[in-house]
Amino acid sequence: ETGVTQSPTHLIKTRGQQVTLRCSSQSGHNTVSWYQQALGQGPQFIFQYYREEENGRGNFPPRFSGLQFPNYSSELNVNALELDDSALYLCASSPRLAGNEQFFGPGTRLTVL
Amino acid sequence: QKEVEQNSGPLSVPEGAIASLNCTYSDRGSQSFFWYRQYSGKSPELIMSIYSNGDKEDGRFTAQLNKASQYVSLLIRDSQPSDSATYLCAVNFSGNTGKLIFGQGTTLQVKP
């Protein structure tokens, strides 16, 4: 157990809907990163938050957005869901910014119908 | 395009053997390298990190880094059936963000 928690565990949505995924970082960690993992692929970086500011973004459209709160927990929001958004969404926390070990939560499995 | 390459496998080894997993990366300025283990249906679990050239050992696991060749490997000694999983190589490329680039993973099967 890494101490990183995510909710919900599973989610089913229909195309065009909006979804919010939540993550609580490990105690003492101020950096949260979000990844999308499609079946059979490695995780792909969506974005990272450090002290409530976005610090780096991957190749994802603006309908993917996020927040980090003062307690370092984080949300990932996805608008106008598409079928290809079906994936495992992973949150990872780390104690500092660059180059550090990242510890993953259990993930949220999103299915878009 | 910064890339991390792994052979997808499956790599099959008998119980008790040494499993060797390999990874190459494209950015010569990369500083941090990680190996994650992912069981089917679960999230990635960090098993090794390595930052400088050479070997780093932790129990049955040894990570090897060669920055000149842009190559990082993971050796698993005395492989057990419980080691059967997908192993993901991740690289933190140069820069001041913690963005990790992952390979697609190598599936390891350890046969009793």
Side-chain angles (χ1 to χ4, degrees), chain B residues 20-111:
Chain B
S20 177
L21 304 159
N22 304 314
C23 172
T24 58
Y25 58 94
S26 62
D27 184 7
R28 187 173 292 275
S30 300
Q31 299 294 319
S32 310
F33 307 86
F34 307 93
W35 283 99
Y36 287 84
R37 177 176 63 198
Q38 187 172 27
Y39 292 113
S40 181
K42 302 294 186 181
S43 64
E45 172 193 6
L46 180 66
I47 54 173
M48 290 289 286
S49 57
I50 187 165
Y51 302 94
S52 54
N53 278 329
D55 295 359
K56 178 182 177 182
E57 186 174 320
D58 184 1
R60 296 186 296 112
F61 298 100
T62 299
Q64 299 175 317
L65 175 61
N66 183 327
K67 289 186 177 181
S69 300
Q70 295 172 235
Y71 175 95
V72 58
S73 65
L74 179 70
L75 300 178
I76 306 175
R77 290 182 299 281
D78 188 23
S79 295
Q80 301 297 310
S82 59
D83 295 325
S84 299
T86 296
Y87 289 80
L88 296 161
C89 172
V91 178
N92 181 212
F93 288 97
S94 54
N96 66 349
T97 74
K99 172 181 179 179
L100 293 181
I101 305 293
F102 283 83
Q104 69 176 31
T106 298
T107 299
L108 173 66
Q109 298 173 345
V110 181
K111 299 190 173 181

Side-chain angles (χ1 to χ4, degrees), chain A residues 41-71:
Chain A
Q41 301 297 317
Q44 284 199 303
F45 178 78
I46 303 175
F47 42 56
Q48 181 182 77
Y49 280 86
Y50 171 66
R51 293 186 175 179
E52 302 179 58
E53 297 287 330
E54 185 180 291
N55 180 71
R57 186 179 183 91
N59 190 25
F60 281 82
R63 58 190 186 84
F64 285 78
S65 63
L67 283 173
Q68 187 179 33
F69 300 98
N71 66 354

Side-chain angles (χ1 to χ4, degrees), chain A residues 14-72:
Chain A
T14 56
R15 195 169 45 182
Q17 285 189 310
Q18 178 266 342
V19 68
T20 297
L21 310 181
R22 295 179 174 84
C23 170
S24 291
S25 61
Q26 185 173 330
S27 177
H29 289 188
N30 59 17
T31 303
V32 172
S33 303
W34 286 92
Y35 294 83
Q36 180 195 66
Q37 187 176 25
L39 206 58
Q41 301 297 317
Q44 284 199 303
F45 178 78
I46 303 175
F47 42 56
Q48 181 182 77
Y49 280 86
Y50 171 66
R51 293 186 175 179
E52 302 179 58
E53 297 287 330
E54 185 180 291
N55 180 71
R57 186 179 183 91
N59 190 25
F60 281 82
R63 58 190 186 84
F64 285 78
S65 63
L67 283 173
Q68 187 179 33
F69 300 98
N71 66 354
Y72 303 130

